[in-house]
């Protein structure tokens, strides 16, 4: 009996080693929670979400690296002393991408009073115990700034949040989205991008794409400029129905749509020629990107308010270069004026 037990233990250990090896090959780095912990909680949604964000990070990084073979992602793992940590993958100064970052973070601990206040202002009734609110937040987020002004900038983010209230009940919700910020308008690209996201949404409910497309146009609005940051996509936050499993499956479909909605656009334009004037316009548009991220973006604000958060990862979304010119106005009926028109008046790209 003892011999059999030992043999089973050895087999189980070697199976674990195989599984560990396979997971390491699949990801850019070992998961934040550790493979043993993930295996222990494998049926929990938190675990499945962590595996999904790790997979998404690896998928996107590999797809981008394949288009920019001279460049490599620096993989940077970090720990947060208050609990959790993350993996930042950043490619800089490639041939195709000036800066591309894909971050994963899994953090837990107690919500700061400032972060809790921000959530309550969005209608969350959070009952703290002795002033403390245990939370767990995880997500994958990415911003890709290409060199060529004919390749749009792309951003995506998918996240899960869980809070334990004073009486032990858990509140949970998902948020996320994928959006495109072109320097110049290309209708074919815009239609492809929106159609791919619509297909991902339609698998779950036909009402989701129009609702989240509008939410995206409203959210990425630079109020002081009266224009959107880009041509949108989808955006949602605080989603906690119909059920945890159904929302998770929807988020998974959206995450799996990132590569097919963007990579074909990069391939289409990576050899386009461009003029110094077009490059200048790209720099000015990037200035607007920075303005939105620093003034309005909820994720940036939340990150900056969370104790022990990693500033380098939060500000990874900013481009390497941008420009602010005094009173710059493009000539009427120019290609530059064309994109501004769409940013001021969002279009329906799929009907």
């Amino acid at each position: 009996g003892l011999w059999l037990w030992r043999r089973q233990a050895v087999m189980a250990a070697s199976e674990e080693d195989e599984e560990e090896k396979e997971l390491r090959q699949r990801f850019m780095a070992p998961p934040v929670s550790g493979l043993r912990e993930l295996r222990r909680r494998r049926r929990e949604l938190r675990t499945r979400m962590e595996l999904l964000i790790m997979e998404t990070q690896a998928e996107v990084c590999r797809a981008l690296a394949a288009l920019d073979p001279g460049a490599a992602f620096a993989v940077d793992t970090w720990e947060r002393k208050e609990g959790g940590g993350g993996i930042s993958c950043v490619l800089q100064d490639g041939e195709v991408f000036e800066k591309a970052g894909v971050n994963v973070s899994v953090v837990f601990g107690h919500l700061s009073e400032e972060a809790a206040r921000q959530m309550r202002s969005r209608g969350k009734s959070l009952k703290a115990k002795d002033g403390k609110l245990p939370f767990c937040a995880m997500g994958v987020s990415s911003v890709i700034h290409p060199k060529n002004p004919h390749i749009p900038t792309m951003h995506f983010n998918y996240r899960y949040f869980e809070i334990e209230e004073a009486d032990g009940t858990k509140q949970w919700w998902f948020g996320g989205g994928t959006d495109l910020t072109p320097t110049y308008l290309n209708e074919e690209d815009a239609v492809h991008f929106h159609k791919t996201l619509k297909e991902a949404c339609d698998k779950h409910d036909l009402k989701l794409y129009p609702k989240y497309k509008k939410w995206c146009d409203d959210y990425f609005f630079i109020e002081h400029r009266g224009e959107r940051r880009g041509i949108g996509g989808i955006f949602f936050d605080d989603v906690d129905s119909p059920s945890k499993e159904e929302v998770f499956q929807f988020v998974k479909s959206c995450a799996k749509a990132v590569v097919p909605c963007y990579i074909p656009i990069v391939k289409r334009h990576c050899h386009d020629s461009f003029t110094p004037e077009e490059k200048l316009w790209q720099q000015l548009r990037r200035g607007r990107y920075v303005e939105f991220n620093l003034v309005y973006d909820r994720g940036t604000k939340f990150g900056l308010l969370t104790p022990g958060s990693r500033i380098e990862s939060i500000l990874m979304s900013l481009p390497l270069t941008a420009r602010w010119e005094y009173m710059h106005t493009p000539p009427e009926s120019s290609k530059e004026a064309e994109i501004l028109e769409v940013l001021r008046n969002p279009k329906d790209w799929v009907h």
Side-chain angles (χ1 to χ4, degrees):
L2 184 62
W3 174 83
L4 185 63
W5 178 82
R6 275 196 184 139
R7 185 153 180 254
Q8 283 171 334
V10 167
M11 281 168 72
S14 74
E15 260 175 48
E16 280 197 6
D17 288 348
E18 278 306 304
E19 197 180 344
E20 198 154 318
K21 218 159 72 182
E22 192 236 326
L23 282 176
R24 280 172 192 273
Q25 283 167 348
R26 248 166 67 196
F27 302 147
M28 299 299 284
V32 176
S33 296
L35 292 166
R36 190 159 293 155
E37 179 63 11
L38 290 178
R39 196 174 290 119
R40 198 175 61 76
R41 304 190 268 110
R42 65 169 42 155
R43 285 186 177 78
E44 283 183 34
L45 194 121
R46 269 171 66 166
T47 300
R48 292 161 66 207
M49 183 65 181
E50 186 167 346
L51 291 172
L52 174 65
I53 62 181
M54 294 294 298
E55 268 167 29
T56 305
Q57 179 183 50
E59 253 170 49
V60 173
C61 287
R62 285 174 186 145
L64 296 174
L67 297 177
D68 208 339
F73 275 94
V75 179
D76 189 10
T77 56
W78 51 274
E79 275 181 34
R80 176 176 174 268
K81 72 174 192 299
E82 293 83 353
I87 302 150
S88 298
C89 297
V90 183
L91 181 158
Q92 282 187 145
D93 266 331
E95 287 292 306
V96 178
F97 302 108
E98 187 173 291
K99 186 177 176 193
V102 192
N103 274 356
V104 154
S105 67
V106 178
V107 298
F108 47 86
H110 292 101
L111 219 49
S112 73
E113 197 37 60
E114 191 51 48
R117 195 176 305 134
Q118 195 192 328
M119 286 186 175
R120 286 192 183 103
S121 73
R122 284 170 24 215
K124 298 262 169 229
S125 61
L126 304 173
K127 296 180 274 300
K129 186 179 186 176
D130 309 326
K132 288 201 160 87
L133 272 168
F135 83 100
C136 159
M138 60 180 73
V140 56
S141 69
S142 169
V143 177
I144 297 151
H145 293 291
K147 282 197 163 162
N148 192 316
H150 298 295
I151 308 175
T153 284
M154 197 265 287
H155 156 259
F156 76 88
N157 168 290
Y158 290 99
R159 58 195 178 275
Y160 173 69
F161 219 96
E162 208 173 78
I163 285 181
E164 194 174 320
E165 294 193 88
D167 60 2
T169 57
K170 281 186 179 169
Q171 282 208 41
W172 58 268
W173 61 90
F174 289 88
T178 303
D179 61 280
L180 199 68
T181 306
T183 301
Y184 288 96
L185 185 63
N186 179 302
E187 296 235 354
E188 198 185 335
D189 295 346
V191 170
H192 166 80
F193 185 79
H194 276 270
K195 267 199 166 148
T196 311
L197 293 177
K198 182 180 184 296
E199 280 162 23
C201 293
D202 285 356
K203 277 185 208 158
H204 301 271
D205 185 340
L206 297 178
K207 292 191 206 79
L208 296 179
Y209 170 77
K211 181 181 172 183
Y212 295 158
K213 190 258 185 209
K214 183 183 183 314
W215 198 341
C216 188
D217 288 333
D218 293 345
Y219 177 76
F220 290 106
F221 183 58
I222 309 171
E223 217 164 301
H224 59 270
R225 298 282 189 185
E227 60 191 47
R228 271 91 199 145
R229 187 177 78 176
I231 60 157
I234 55 171
F235 177 86
F236 56 92
D237 208 354
D238 301 331
V239 177
D240 57 6
S241 66
S243 72
K244 213 182 225 186
E245 184 59 36
E246 285 171 278
V247 187
F248 173 70
Q249 291 301 336
F250 164 65
V251 166
K252 190 174 180 176
S253 296
C254 293
K256 295 284 175 212
V258 170
V259 167
C261 77
Y262 183 60
I263 296 298
I265 297 175
V266 180
K267 284 183 175 165
R268 199 180 292 148
H269 298 291
C270 58
H271 300 300
D272 289 6
S273 59
F274 57 90
T275 65
E277 290 74 28
E278 288 168 333
K279 188 69 189 169
L280 171 70
W281 178 242
Q282 182 193 44
Q283 299 289 292
L284 291 166
R285 296 312 309 161
R286 287 214 189 130
R288 298 284 209 268
Y289 205 92
V290 172
E291 286 174 30
F292 178 84
N293 281 28
L294 294 184
V295 178
Y296 300 111
D297 188 71
R298 205 184 276 172
T300 306
K301 281 183 180 173
F302 180 79
L304 296 174
L305 295 174
T306 302
S309 57
R310 193 165 182 270
I311 303 304
E312 282 298 315
S313 299
I314 294 163
L315 298 181
M316 176 207 76
S317 63
L318 302 181
L320 271 189
T321 59
R323 190 178 171 102
W324 285 267
E325 266 186 32
Y326 185 67
M327 301 294 276
H328 183 281
T329 314
E332 269 182 56
S333 66
S334 62
K335 293 293 264 176
E336 290 77 12
E338 179 189 32
I339 185 85
L340 282 181
E341 174 54 33
V342 172
L343 299 179
R344 288 172 188 149
N345 304 292
K347 275 180 72 167
D348 175 353
W349 298 103
V350 293
H351 295 105

